[in-house]
Amino acid sequence: MNQAIRDKAKELLASGAVSCVIGYDVGSDGINARPFFAYTEEEADGLAFDQTCTHNLVKYLIDRAGKATAIVVKPCDARALTVLINEKQVKREEVFIIGAVCHGIIESTWGQKGSDLQGRCQTCTQHTPLVYDLLVGEPMAEPTPKAPLDHRAATLANMSVAERAAFWAEQFQRCLRCNACRQVCPGCYCAECFVDQLDPEWVGIRIDLPEKWLWNTIRAFHLAGRCVGCDECQRVCPVNIPLGLLNHKLEEEVATLFDFRPGVKADVPAPLETFKKDEKLGIGE
Amino acid sequence: MSQLISRSDLTAWINALLAEYTVIAPTKVDSLALYQPVKRADDIFMDFGITALSPKEWLFPPTETLFTITTQDGTMKLEAPPLDGKNLIFAIRPCDARGFRLLDKVFLAPPADTHYAQRRQNTTLIGLACSKALPQCFCTSVGGAPNDASDVDVLLTEVEEGYLVNIVTEKGQAAVAQAKLIEKDVTPPSPPNLKPVSTEGIVEATLRAYNDDYWERLADRCTHCNVCAFVCPACYCFDVRDHINQGKTERLRCWDSCQAPGFTRVAGGYTPRPTKGARLRQRFGHKLLYYPQQYGDLLCVGCGRCIASCPVNIDIREVMEDLQKLGVKSVSARA
């Protein structure tokens, strides 16, 4: 698999088809992968793919607009890429997609080798990316989910509104407003995020519960129908706020209301980007 | 002879401290260890390797009111916020305590920052020596040590019989007044060994690399979140803004970071650090060049939090190594 990625990367760089290949190499702990940008054939030898390649790299493509780029994607990343292409943030013709067959990503922390699959991967039913120009790895039969969603999702669903509010207040209280969730999210690419706007100032600079609450909930709403569930926000959160729970909940709502899963089909806009006169959602009825 | 406190007497001592101080100690919050105020000794989680966040927030809070202005009947009233009471940070790691030494140089240099100075004076630091090193630890390479007592008021070291109590300052003396200490001949355990990182010539190397492509290449993968700055015990950048609500104006100071694109944006929209590389260079420039030039020490305590928390593995040890090689021979950034 590594060799196939490296060979294709070298070929694309040598021919000038792309000027950069975005993939993974091994991080400074010698265990976990990290994003890697290869600009030369020599650098392409550093590319690698394994079950620690957790990062969703497609957001890097936005900064490379106008420059032909090859990118290594997992099935979830490929869906995020489709979202970005649908939303006109990335041009399909500028990207060479190296799709990697994915056996799930291992839950691990820096400096430690993990063994269990990440929660999102335990329920994932897609091992092969839906879009690619080159597929690497042996395609395999798509699995049925092995485990239920995060047990907290079920617990939350059974809570009263007040109990749920208390749960989130406790979680959001820890938020540092470091914006890591936004910075890694492929769906968060606004040139000026609402939280940074000064005029009008939607959210002040206070790092306090009302602002934390507003930030996390508005961000979740902005992602409704657009989040592919890569859980990068949750992974990078330095204080372990289970943001995936919010996103997954909204995705289920969107799926129920609109029969829509983001990033599955090209050229199908997200439900909240469209308005259909005949849509009846039972809201306010 | 050393002074020793047994485990049960330690509990009694902490419970006694609670009457006099707000005790801030490592606690377990979900899967994290965080410094939080505790209500009783049992709330303290002693088996933490390192907390997710440094305790700097207890001297330099994420949000603080500098002053308020209220207008009533045409008169303006300017008020300072109420003072915090006496705080005691229990089980602070030597590296985190060293972080306060680095913050002191900035906040206590005349004219001293009133808010920081007041908190600093009212805070007692009870250190806990590290019995093991984590893979990201490198305090010994940046002037610290796992058993360094120089920045705490009391240093505790865990031994079989309890904890050795090394009283360092008068503040520490006052804090242990109610502790039942016994004299005993106990050899302190040897501190854990840490893998050294070379910092030789790093200030010059960072200056030499100022215009190098290295920064843009390193910034390729940087996501420009504020995680590294917010988890760092030595980062101290902030933003100040007035918050006006129903006739009351509050001047706020909140954490900020040089990695945020808006950090250096000025009126009219100009940003002197427009690229990701320029912002990343600022981070390492501040730690390895500007601060050392002004104050002597590197602006890093080797706690390794930024290394373990960085979403894309930007590792300051690797950066230092790369900078030392730059200019000596061409090095390709590990971007």
Side-chain angles (χ1 to χ4, degrees), chain A residues 27-28 34-37 39 43 55 60 110 171 174 176-178 180 183 198 201 205-207 235-236 239-240, chain B residues 29-32 63 136 217 220-221 223-227 230 241 250 254 311-313 315 317-318 332 335:
Chain A
S28 64
R34 64 180 174 191
F36 177 68
F37 289 59
Y39 295 94
E43 285 169 355
H55 317 73
Y60 291 125
W110 188 89
Q171 298 296 325
R174 295 204 297 269
L176 301 169
R177 294 192 63 193
C178 70
Q183 295 304 102
L198 291 174
E201 190 185 48
I205 61 167
R206 231 186 251 277
I207 305 176
R235 176 186 72 85
V236 303
V239 289
N240 293 1
Chain B
V29 183
D30 287 349
S31 54
L32 296 169
T63 298
Q136 64 267 35
R217 284 298 310 271
D220 268 344
R221 73 170 184 271
T223 66
H224 291 274
C225 62
N226 300 336
V227 167
F230 285 8
R241 210 183 289 174
E250 203 176 351
C254 302
V312 292
N313 187 222
D315 185 329
R317 298 169 306 177
E318 212 173 41
S332 163

CSV table of all heavy atoms in Angstrom, one decimal, chain A residues 27-28 34-37 39 43 55 60 110 171 174 176-178 180 183 198 201 205-207 235-236 239-240, chain B residues 29-32 63 136 217 220-221 223-227 230 241 250 254 311-313 315 317-318 332 335:
chain,number,residue,atom,x,y,z
A,27,GLY,N,5.0,10.3,12.6
A,27,GLY,CA,5.2,11.4,13.5
A,27,GLY,C,6.4,11.3,14.4
A,27,GLY,O,7.2,10.3,14.3
A,28,SER,N,6.6,12.3,15.3
A,28,SER,CA,7.9,12.3,16.1
A,28,SER,C,7.9,11.3,17.2
A,28,SER,O,8.9,11.1,17.8
A,28,SER,CB,8.1,13.7,16.6
A,28,SER,OG,7.0,14.0,17.5
A,34,ARG,N,1.2,11.6,10.9
A,34,ARG,CA,0.9,13.0,10.8
A,34,ARG,C,0.8,13.4,9.4
A,34,ARG,O,1.3,12.8,8.5
A,34,ARG,CB,2.0,13.8,11.6
A,34,ARG,CG,3.3,13.7,10.9
A,34,ARG,CD,4.3,14.5,11.7
A,34,ARG,NE,5.7,14.4,11.2
A,34,ARG,CZ,6.7,14.8,11.9
A,34,ARG,NH1,6.6,15.4,13.0
A,34,ARG,NH2,7.9,14.7,11.3
A,35,PRO,N,0.2,14.6,9.1
A,35,PRO,CA,0.1,15.0,7.8
A,35,PRO,C,1.4,15.3,7.2
A,35,PRO,O,2.3,15.8,7.9
A,35,PRO,CB,-0.8,16.3,7.9
A,35,PRO,CG,-1.5,16.2,9.2
A,35,PRO,CD,-0.6,15.4,10.1
A,36,PHE,N,1.6,15.1,5.9
A,36,PHE,CA,2.9,15.2,5.3
A,36,PHE,C,2.7,15.8,3.8
A,36,PHE,O,1.8,15.3,3.1
A,36,PHE,CB,3.6,13.9,5.2
A,36,PHE,CG,4.9,13.9,4.5
A,36,PHE,CD1,6.0,14.6,5.1
A,36,PHE,CD2,5.1,13.2,3.3
A,36,PHE,CE1,7.2,14.6,4.4
A,36,PHE,CE2,6.3,13.2,2.7
A,36,PHE,CZ,7.4,13.9,3.2
A,37,PHE,N,3.4,16.8,3.5
A,37,PHE,CA,3.4,17.4,2.1
A,37,PHE,C,4.6,17.0,1.4
A,37,PHE,O,5.7,17.4,1.8
A,37,PHE,CB,3.2,18.9,2.2
A,37,PHE,CG,1.9,19.4,2.8
A,37,PHE,CD1,1.5,19.0,4.0
A,37,PHE,CD2,1.2,20.3,2.0
A,37,PHE,CE1,0.3,19.5,4.5
A,37,PHE,CE2,-0.1,20.8,2.5
A,37,PHE,CZ,-0.5,20.4,3.7
A,39,TYR,N,6.7,17.5,-2.0
A,39,TYR,CA,6.9,18.3,-3.2
A,39,TYR,C,7.8,17.7,-4.2
A,39,TYR,O,7.9,18.2,-5.3
A,39,TYR,CB,7.4,19.7,-2.8
A,39,TYR,CG,6.4,20.5,-1.9
A,39,TYR,CD1,6.5,20.5,-0.5
A,39,TYR,CD2,5.4,21.3,-2.5
A,39,TYR,CE1,5.6,21.2,0.3
A,39,TYR,CE2,4.5,22.0,-1.7
A,39,TYR,CZ,4.6,22.0,-0.3
A,39,TYR,OH,3.8,22.7,0.5
A,43,GLU,N,11.0,13.3,-1.5
A,43,GLU,CA,10.1,13.5,-0.4
A,43,GLU,C,9.0,12.4,-0.4
A,43,GLU,O,8.5,12.0,0.6
A,43,GLU,CB,9.6,14.9,-0.3
A,43,GLU,CG,10.6,15.9,0.2
A,43,GLU,CD,10.1,17.3,0.0
A,43,GLU,OE1,9.0,17.6,-0.5
A,43,GLU,OE2,10.8,18.2,0.5
A,55,HIS,N,-6.0,11.9,10.6
A,55,HIS,CA,-6.3,13.2,10.1
A,55,HIS,C,-7.1,13.2,8.8
A,55,HIS,O,-6.8,12.5,7.9
A,55,HIS,CB,-5.0,14.0,9.9
A,55,HIS,CG,-4.0,13.8,11.0
A,55,HIS,ND1,-3.3,12.6,11.1
A,55,HIS,CD2,-3.5,14.6,12.0
A,55,HIS,CE1,-2.4,12.7,12.1
A,55,HIS,NE2,-2.6,13.9,12.7
A,60,TYR,N,-6.8,21.0,3.7
A,60,TYR,CA,-5.6,21.6,3.2
A,60,TYR,C,-5.7,22.0,1.7
A,60,TYR,O,-5.0,22.8,1.2
A,60,TYR,CB,-4.4,20.6,3.3
A,60,TYR,CG,-3.9,20.3,4.7
A,60,TYR,CD1,-3.8,19.0,5.2
A,60,TYR,CD2,-3.5,21.4,5.5
A,60,TYR,CE1,-3.4,18.7,6.4
A,60,TYR,CE2,-3.0,21.1,6.8
A,60,TYR,CZ,-3.0,19.8,7.3
A,60,TYR,OH,-2.5,19.5,8.5
A,110,TRP,N,-0.8,10.6,21.6
A,110,TRP,CA,0.6,10.8,21.2
A,110,TRP,C,1.5,10.0,22.1
A,110,TRP,O,1.4,9.9,23.3
A,110,TRP,CB,1.0,12.3,21.3
A,110,TRP,CG,2.3,12.5,20.7
A,110,TRP,CD1,2.6,12.8,19.4
A,110,TRP,CD2,3.6,12.5,21.3
A,110,TRP,NE1,3.9,12.9,19.2
A,110,TRP,CE2,4.6,12.7,20.4
A,110,TRP,CE3,3.9,12.2,22.7
A,110,TRP,CZ2,5.9,12.7,20.7
A,110,TRP,CZ3,5.3,12.3,23.0
A,110,TRP,CH2,6.3,12.5,22.0
A,171,GLN,N,-19.8,19.9,30.0
A,171,GLN,CA,-18.8,19.7,28.9
A,171,GLN,C,-18.3,21.0,28.4
A,171,GLN,O,-17.1,21.2,28.3
A,171,GLN,CB,-19.5,18.9,27.8
A,171,GLN,CG,-19.9,17.5,28.1
A,171,GLN,CD,-18.8,16.6,28.6
A,171,GLN,OE1,-17.7,16.7,28.1
A,171,GLN,NE2,-19.1,15.7,29.5
A,174,ARG,N,-15.6,23.3,30.1
A,174,ARG,CA,-14.1,23.1,29.9
A,174,ARG,C,-13.5,23.7,28.7
A,174,ARG,O,-12.3,23.8,28.5
A,174,ARG,CB,-13.9,21.5,29.8
A,174,ARG,CG,-14.2,20.7,31.0
A,174,ARG,CD,-13.4,19.4,31.0
A,174,ARG,NE,-13.8,18.6,29.8
A,174,ARG,CZ,-14.7,17.6,29.9
A,174,ARG,NH1,-15.4,17.5,31.0
A,174,ARG,NH2,-14.9,16.9,28.8
A,176,LEU,N,-11.9,25.9,25.9
A,176,LEU,CA,-11.0,27.0,26.0
A,176,LEU,C,-11.1,28.0,24.9
A,176,LEU,O,-10.4,29.0,24.9
A,176,LEU,CB,-9.5,26.4,25.9
A,176,LEU,CG,-9.1,25.3,26.9
A,176,LEU,CD1,-7.8,24.7,26.5
A,176,LEU,CD2,-9.0,26.0,28.3
A,177,ARG,N,-12.1,27.7,24.0
A,177,ARG,CA,-12.2,28.6,22.8
A,177,ARG,C,-10.9,28.6,22.1
A,177,ARG,O,-10.5,29.7,21.6
A,177,ARG,CB,-12.8,30.0,23.2
A,177,ARG,CG,-14.2,29.9,23.7
A,177,ARG,CD,-14.8,31.2,23.8
A,177,ARG,NE,-15.0,31.8,22.5
A,177,ARG,CZ,-15.3,33.1,22.3
A,177,ARG,NH1,-15.5,33.9,23.3
A,177,ARG,NH2,-15.5,33.6,21.1
A,178,CYS,N,-10.2,27.5,22.0
A,178,CYS,CA,-9.0,27.5,21.2
A,178,CYS,C,-9.2,27.4,19.7
A,178,CYS,O,-8.3,27.5,19.0
A,178,CYS,CB,-8.1,26.3,21.7
A,178,CYS,SG,-8.7,24.7,21.2
A,180,ALA,N,-9.6,24.8,17.9
A,180,ALA,CA,-9.0,23.7,17.2
A,180,ALA,C,-10.1,22.9,16.5
A,180,ALA,O,-9.8,22.4,15.3
A,180,ALA,CB,-8.3,22.8,18.2
A,183,GLN,N,-10.6,24.7,13.3
A,183,GLN,CA,-9.5,24.7,12.4
A,183,GLN,C,-9.2,23.4,11.7
A,183,GLN,O,-8.7,23.4,10.6
A,183,GLN,CB,-8.2,25.1,13.2
A,183,GLN,CG,-8.2,26.5,13.7
A,183,GLN,CD,-8.4,27.6,12.7
A,183,GLN,OE1,-9.5,28.1,12.5
A,183,GLN,NE2,-7.4,27.9,11.9
A,198,LEU,N,-16.3,41.3,14.3
A,198,LEU,CA,-16.4,42.4,15.3
A,198,LEU,C,-17.6,43.3,15.1
A,198,LEU,O,-18.0,43.9,16.0
A,198,LEU,CB,-15.1,43.2,15.1
A,198,LEU,CG,-13.8,42.6,15.5
A,198,LEU,CD1,-12.6,43.5,15.1
A,198,LEU,CD2,-13.8,42.3,17.0
A,201,GLU,N,-20.7,42.1,16.6
A,201,GLU,CA,-20.0,41.2,17.5
A,201,GLU,C,-21.0,40.1,18.0
A,201,GLU,O,-21.7,40.4,19.0
A,201,GLU,CB,-19.4,41.9,18.6
A,201,GLU,CG,-18.4,41.1,19.4
A,201,GLU,CD,-17.8,41.8,20.6
A,201,GLU,OE1,-18.6,42.4,21.4
A,201,GLU,OE2,-16.6,41.8,20.8
A,205,ILE,N,-15.3,38.3,23.4
A,205,ILE,CA,-14.0,37.5,23.5
A,205,ILE,C,-14.0,36.8,24.8
A,205,ILE,O,-13.0,36.0,25.1
A,205,ILE,CB,-12.8,38.5,23.4
A,205,ILE,CG1,-12.7,39.5,24.5
A,205,ILE,CG2,-12.7,39.1,22.1
A,205,ILE,CD1,-11.4,40.2,24.7
A,206,ARG,N,-14.9,37.0,25.7
A,206,ARG,CA,-14.9,36.3,27.0
A,206,ARG,C,-14.8,34.7,26.8
A,206,ARG,O,-15.5,34.2,25.9
A,206,ARG,CB,-16.3,36.5,27.6
A,206,ARG,CG,-16.2,37.0,29.0
A,206,ARG,CD,-17.7,37.0,29.5
A,206,ARG,NE,-18.2,38.3,29.7
A,206,ARG,CZ,-18.0,39.1,30.8
A,206,ARG,NH1,-17.2,38.6,31.8
A,206,ARG,NH2,-18.4,40.3,30.9
A,207,ILE,N,-14.0,34.1,27.6
A,207,ILE,CA,-13.9,32.7,27.5
A,207,ILE,C,-14.7,32.2,28.7
A,207,ILE,O,-14.1,31.8,29.8
A,207,ILE,CB,-12.4,32.2,27.6
A,207,ILE,CG1,-11.6,32.9,26.4
A,207,ILE,CG2,-12.3,30.7,27.5
A,207,ILE,CD1,-10.1,32.6,26.4
A,235,ARG,N,-11.4,14.7,18.2
A,235,ARG,CA,-10.0,14.2,18.4
A,235,ARG,C,-9.1,15.3,18.9
A,235,ARG,O,-8.3,15.1,19.8
A,235,ARG,CB,-9.5,13.6,17.2
A,235,ARG,CG,-8.0,13.1,17.3
A,235,ARG,CD,-7.5,12.6,15.9
A,235,ARG,NE,-7.2,13.6,15.0
A,235,ARG,CZ,-6.1,14.4,14.9
A,235,ARG,NH1,-5.1,14.2,15.8
A,235,ARG,NH2,-5.9,15.3,14.0
A,236,VAL,N,-9.2,16.4,18.3
A,236,VAL,CA,-8.2,17.5,18.6
A,236,VAL,C,-8.6,18.3,19.8
A,236,VAL,O,-7.7,19.1,20.3
A,236,VAL,CB,-8.0,18.5,17.4
A,236,VAL,CG1,-7.6,17.7,16.2
A,236,VAL,CG2,-9.2,19.3,17.1
A,239,VAL,N,-9.6,19.3,25.7
A,239,VAL,CA,-10.3,19.0,26.9
A,239,VAL,C,-11.4,18.0,26.7
A,239,VAL,O,-12.3,17.9,27.5
A,239,VAL,CB,-10.8,20.3,27.6
A,239,VAL,CG1,-9.6,21.1,28.2
A,239,VAL,CG2,-11.6,21.1,26.7
A,240,ASN,N,-11.2,17.2,25.6
A,240,ASN,CA,-12.1,16.0,25.4
A,240,ASN,C,-13.6,16.3,25.4
A,240,ASN,O,-14.3,15.6,26.0
A,240,ASN,CB,-11.8,14.9,26.4
A,240,ASN,CG,-10.4,14.3,26.2
A,240,ASN,OD1,-9.7,14.8,25.3
A,240,ASN,ND2,-10.0,13.4,27.0
B,29,VAL,N,-11.6,14.8,35.8
B,29,VAL,CA,-12.8,15.3,35.1
B,29,VAL,C,-13.0,14.4,33.9
B,29,VAL,O,-12.2,14.6,32.9
B,29,VAL,CB,-12.7,16.8,34.8
B,29,VAL,CG1,-14.0,17.3,34.2
B,29,VAL,CG2,-12.3,17.6,36.0
B,30,ASP,N,-14.1,13.6,33.8
B,30,ASP,CA,-14.2,12.6,32.8
B,30,ASP,C,-12.9,11.9,32.6
B,30,ASP,O,-12.4,11.3,33.6
B,30,ASP,CB,-14.7,13.2,31.5
B,30,ASP,CG,-16.1,13.7,31.5
B,30,ASP,OD1,-16.8,13.3,32.5
B,30,ASP,OD2,-16.6,14.4,30.6
B,31,SER,N,-12.3,11.9,31.5
B,31,SER,CA,-11.0,11.2,31.3
B,31,SER,C,-9.8,12.1,31.5
B,31,SER,O,-8.7,11.6,31.2
B,31,SER,CB,-11.0,10.6,29.9
B,31,SER,OG,-11.2,11.6,28.9
B,32,LEU,N,-10.0,13.3,32.0
B,32,LEU,CA,-8.9,14.2,32.0
B,32,LEU,C,-8.5,14.5,33.5
B,32,LEU,O,-9.2,14.4,34.4
B,32,LEU,CB,-9.3,15.6,31.5
B,32,LEU,CG,-9.7,15.8,30.0
B,32,LEU,CD1,-10.4,17.1,29.9
B,32,LEU,CD2,-8.5,15.6,29.2
B,63,THR,N,-10.2,34.5,31.2
B,63,THR,CA,-10.9,35.8,31.1
B,63,THR,C,-10.9,36.5,32.5
B,63,THR,O,-11.1,35.9,33.5
B,63,THR,CB,-12.4,35.5,30.8
B,63,THR,OG1,-12.5,34.8,29.6
B,63,THR,CG2,-13.3,36.8,30.8
B,136,GLN,N,6.9,12.7,26.3
B,136,GLN,CA,7.0,14.1,25.8
B,136,GLN,C,7.8,15.0,26.7
B,136,GLN,O,8.0,16.2,26.4
B,136,GLN,CB,5.6,14.7,25.5
B,136,GLN,CG,4.7,14.9,26.7
B,136,GLN,CD,3.8,13.7,27.0
B,136,GLN,OE1,4.2,12.6,26.7
B,136,GLN,NE2,2.6,13.9,27.4
B,217,ARG,N,7.3,25.7,5.2
B,217,ARG,CA,7.1,24.3,5.0
B,217,ARG,C,6.6,23.6,6.3
B,217,ARG,O,5.7,22.7,6.2
B,217,ARG,CB,8.5,23.6,4.7
B,217,ARG,CG,9.0,23.8,3.2
B,217,ARG,CD,8.0,23.2,2.2
B,217,ARG,NE,7.7,21.8,2.5
B,217,ARG,CZ,8.4,20.7,2.1
B,217,ARG,NH1,9.4,20.9,1.4
B,217,ARG,NH2,8.0,19.5,2.4
B,220,ASP,N,2.9,24.2,6.6
B,220,ASP,CA,2.0,23.4,5.7
B,220,ASP,C,1.0,22.6,6.5
B,220,ASP,O,-0.2,22.6,6.2
B,220,ASP,CB,2.8,22.4,4.8
B,220,ASP,CG,3.3,23.0,3.5
B,220,ASP,OD1,2.8,24.1,3.1
B,220,ASP,OD2,4.2,22.4,2.9
B,221,ARG,N,1.4,21.9,7.5
B,221,ARG,CA,0.5,21.0,8.2
B,221,ARG,C,-0.1,21.7,9.4
B,221,ARG,O,-1.1,21.2,10.0
B,221,ARG,CB,1.2,19.7,8.6
B,221,ARG,CG,2.2,19.8,9.7
B,221,ARG,CD,2.6,18.3,10.1
B,221,ARG,NE,3.4,18.4,11.3
B,221,ARG,CZ,4.8,18.4,11.2
B,221,ARG,NH1,5.4,18.5,10.1
B,221,ARG,NH2,5.5,18.4,12.3
B,223,THR,N,-2.5,23.7,11.7
B,223,THR,CA,-3.9,24.1,11.5
B,223,THR,C,-4.2,25.5,12.0
B,223,THR,O,-5.3,25.9,11.9
B,223,THR,CB,-4.8,23.1,12.2
B,223,THR,OG1,-4.6,23.2,13.6
B,223,THR,CG2,-4.5,21.6,11.8
B,224,HIS,N,-3.2,26.1,12.7
B,224,HIS,CA,-3.4,27.4,13.3
B,224,HIS,C,-4.6,27.5,14.3
B,224,HIS,O,-5.4,28.4,14.3
B,224,HIS,CB,-3.4,28.5,12.2
B,224,HIS,CG,-2.1,28.6,11.7
B,224,HIS,ND1,-1.1,29.4,12.2
B,224,HIS,CD2,-1.5,27.9,10.7
B,224,HIS,CE1,0.0,29.2,11.6
B,224,HIS,NE2,-0.2,28.3,10.7
B,225,CYS,N,-4.7,26.5,15.1
B,225,CYS,CA,-5.6,26.5,16.3
B,225,CYS,C,-4.7,27.2,17.4
B,225,CYS,O,-3.6,27.5,17.2
B,225,CYS,CB,-6.1,25.2,16.7
B,225,CYS,SG,-4.8,24.0,17.2
B,226,ASN,N,-5.3,27.3,18.5
B,226,ASN,CA,-4.6,27.9,19.6
B,226,ASN,C,-4.2,26.9,20.7
B,226,ASN,O,-3.8,27.3,21.8
B,226,ASN,CB,-5.4,29.0,20.3
B,226,ASN,CG,-5.8,30.1,19.3
B,226,ASN,OD1,-5.1,30.3,18.3
B,226,ASN,ND2,-6.9,30.8,19.6
B,227,VAL,N,-4.3,25.6,20.4
B,227,VAL,CA,-4.0,24.6,21.4
B,227,VAL,C,-2.7,24.7,22.0
B,227,VAL,O,-2.5,24.8,23.2
B,227,VAL,CB,-4.2,23.2,20.8
B,227,VAL,CG1,-3.7,22.1,21.7
B,227,VAL,CG2,-5.7,22.9,20.5
B,230,PHE,N,-2.5,27.6,24.4
B,230,PHE,CA,-3.5,27.6,25.6
B,230,PHE,C,-3.1,26.5,26.6
B,230,PHE,O,-3.4,26.6,27.7
B,230,PHE,CB,-4.9,27.4,25.1
B,230,PHE,CG,-5.5,28.6,24.5
B,230,PHE,CD1,-4.8,29.8,24.3
B,230,PHE,CD2,-6.9,28.7,24.2
B,230,PHE,CE1,-5.4,30.9,23.7
B,230,PHE,CE2,-7.5,29.8,23.7
B,230,PHE,CZ,-6.7,30.9,23.4
B,241,ARG,N,-10.5,43.8,25.3
B,241,ARG,CA,-11.7,44.5,24.6
B,241,ARG,C,-12.7,45.0,25.6
B,241,ARG,O,-12.8,44.4,26.7
B,241,ARG,CB,-12.3,43.4,23.7
B,241,ARG,CG,-12.9,44.1,22.4
B,241,ARG,CD,-13.6,43.0,21.6
B,241,ARG,NE,-12.8,42.1,20.9
B,241,ARG,CZ,-13.2,41.1,20.2
B,241,ARG,NH1,-14.5,40.8,20.1
B,241,ARG,NH2,-12.4,40.3,19.6
B,250,GLU,N,-17.1,47.0,30.7
B,250,GLU,CA,-16.2,46.1,31.4
B,250,GLU,C,-15.0,46.0,30.5
B,250,GLU,O,-15.2,45.7,29.3
B,250,GLU,CB,-16.9,44.8,31.6
B,250,GLU,CG,-16.4,43.9,32.6
B,250,GLU,CD,-17.2,42.6,32.8
B,250,GLU,OE1,-18.2,42.5,32.1
B,250,GLU,OE2,-16.8,41.8,33.5
B,254,CYS,N,-8.6,38.6,27.8
B,254,CYS,CA,-8.8,37.1,27.6
B,254,CYS,C,-7.6,36.5,26.8
B,254,CYS,O,-6.9,37.2,26.1
B,254,CYS,CB,-10.0,36.9,26.7
B,254,CYS,SG,-11.5,37.6,27.4
B,311,PRO,N,-2.6,18.9,17.2
B,311,PRO,CA,-3.4,18.0,16.3
B,311,PRO,C,-2.6,17.4,15.1
B,311,PRO,O,-3.0,16.4,14.6
B,311,PRO,CB,-4.5,18.9,15.7
B,311,PRO,CG,-4.6,20.0,16.7
B,311,PRO,CD,-3.2,20.2,17.3
B,312,VAL,N,-1.5,18.0,14.8
B,312,VAL,CA,-0.7,17.6,13.6
B,312,VAL,C,0.8,17.4,13.9
B,312,VAL,O,1.6,17.4,13.1
B,312,VAL,CB,-0.9,18.6,12.4
B,312,VAL,CG1,-2.3,18.6,11.9
B,312,VAL,CG2,-0.5,20.0,12.9
B,313,ASN,N,1.0,17.2,15.2
B,313,ASN,CA,2.4,16.8,15.7
B,313,ASN,C,3.5,17.8,15.3
B,313,ASN,O,4.5,17.4,14.7
B,313,ASN,CB,2.7,15.4,15.1
B,313,ASN,CG,4.0,14.8,15.6
B,313,ASN,OD1,4.8,14.2,14.9
B,313,ASN,ND2,4.3,15.0,16.9
B,315,ASP,N,6.4,19.4,16.8
B,315,ASP,CA,7.1,19.0,18.0
B,315,ASP,C,8.3,20.0,18.2
B,315,ASP,O,9.2,20.0,17.4
B,315,ASP,CB,7.6,17.5,17.8
B,315,ASP,CG,8.3,16.9,19.0
B,315,ASP,OD1,8.9,17.7,19.8
B,315,ASP,OD2,8.2,15.7,19.2
B,317,ARG,N,10.7,20.0,20.0
B,317,ARG,CA,12.1,19.4,20.1
B,317,ARG,C,12.7,19.1,18.7
B,317,ARG,O,13.8,19.4,18.5
B,317,ARG,CB,12.0,18.0,20.9
B,317,ARG,CG,11.6,18.2,22.3
B,317,ARG,CD,11.2,16.8,22.9
B,317,ARG,NE,10.3,16.1,22.1
B,317,ARG,CZ,9.9,14.9,22.3
B,317,ARG,NH1,10.3,14.2,23.4
B,317,ARG,NH2,9.0,14.3,21.5
B,318,GLU,N,11.8,18.7,17.8
B,318,GLU,CA,12.2,18.5,16.4
B,318,GLU,C,12.5,19.8,15.8
B,318,GLU,O,13.4,19.9,15.0
B,318,GLU,CB,11.0,17.8,15.7
B,318,GLU,CG,11.3,16.9,14.6
B,318,GLU,CD,10.1,16.2,14.2
B,318,GLU,OE1,9.0,16.8,14.0
B,318,GLU,OE2,10.2,15.0,13.9
B,332,SER,N,15.8,19.7,4.9
B,332,SER,CA,14.5,19.8,4.4
B,332,SER,C,13.5,19.7,5.6
B,332,SER,O,13.7,18.9,6.5
B,332,SER,CB,14.2,18.6,3.5
B,332,SER,OG,12.8,18.4,3.3
B,335,ALA,N,8.0,18.8,7.0
B,335,ALA,CA,6.7,19.4,6.9
B,335,ALA,C,5.7,18.3,6.6
B,335,ALA,O,6.0,17.2,6.3
B,335,ALA,CB,6.7,20.5,5.9
